[in-house]
Amino acid sequence: CDANAVVGKVVDADADFSDFEVGDRVVCTHYSGTVGSSSIDDYFYATVTEIGSGYVQTSEGTKVPTTGWAYLINQTVFDGDNYLNSASIHTVSVFVKVQGICLTKFTNAIKTGLGSYAYIGNCIFTDNRSCLVSFTLNNQYLMRSAFVNTPTNYNSIYFDSGPTLRISGCVFSALSPTDTIALKFAYDANSVYIEWCGIFGYAYGCRSVSVSNVHMAACYIDSTCTYGAYGYNITLKDCTNN
């Protein structure tokens, strides 16, 4: 973002917003720290209310996105109809690449099965009971996406098994810390790498069982989480956590 002094106004003189519409979803994230080790230490999720030359105004009412804020605007929304639809994408033995969409109100927004590879980037997941559920032995990548408004009693990411899960540059937020988990790892989650992410408002920011092996680097776990990292074999490096 360029510098500005109006709450919720995303200013970028180099951007062409002519194809965007009022009602599009926006996630803005604030990065702090030095290049290469910066974590997401603040964010907002909002709706576009006005579009102009080099700017969009959003419904956010308190935060001012200036230099240091990065934004993601999404136009394509898939609606699970208040969880009546189990999954938007359910894969077995395929490679799936998901980019630039919004998934909302699914029981499982994306579910990857045995033999599946997944690359998920530049997406917004809002109000899903689970954003990603993975039962695969192959690599999974979550990049530059937002997982927001996780409802009470649910988790954003559930990773059951696999050689590698890499999560980079993502923001996670829950509606309340009541029995919510941002990142839940079980069984053979052997090589999990999480970097430059922000986690807000969960009961557990990261929770793992004894056979998992989780590495978190340059992540910001906000004090609104009851527990930052809880469980076994979680390594924190250059993280801000409660």
Side-chain angles (χ1 to χ4, degrees), residues 46-66:
T47 301
V48 173
T49 58
E50 177 188 342
I51 300 168
S53 178
Y55 78 90
V56 294
Q57 183 66 49
T58 77
S59 60
E60 166 61 28
T62 60
K63 296 179 182 179
V64 179
T66 60

Side-chain angles (χ1 to χ4, degrees), residues 90-197:
H90 186 186
T91 67
V92 178
S93 299
V94 298
F95 172 80
V96 59
K97 185 176 183 179
V98 183
Q99 282 194 288
I101 64 173
C102 178
L103 296 163
T104 182
K105 294 186 182 299
F106 286 94
T107 299
N108 303 296
I110 297 177
K111 187 174 183 179
T112 56
L114 187 65
S116 294
Y117 296 82
Y119 177 93
I120 300 166
N122 301 320
C123 292
I124 299 173
F125 296 80
T126 174
D127 198 7
N128 296 286
R129 289 180 176 173
S130 284
C131 299
L132 174 67
V133 178
S134 182
F135 301 91
T136 180
L137 298 176
N138 293 320
N139 297 344
Q140 315 284 294
Y141 299 91
L142 310 180
M143 317 297 285
R144 301 175 303 279
S145 295
F147 304 82
V148 294
N149 296 343
T150 301
T152 300
N153 300 319
Y154 293 98
N155 48 264
S156 291
I157 306 297
Y158 177 79
F159 191 62
D160 184 273
S161 59
T164 301
L165 171 65
R166 186 173 293 277
I167 303 173
S168 181
C170 295
V171 62
F172 299 85
S173 75
L175 290 175
S176 81
T178 305
D179 294 328
T180 48
I181 304 173
L183 305 161
K184 184 177 181 180
F185 304 109
Y187 305 109
D188 295 323
N190 288 322
S191 299
V192 178
Y193 301 93
I194 307 157
E195 57 189 4
W196 310 324
C197 293

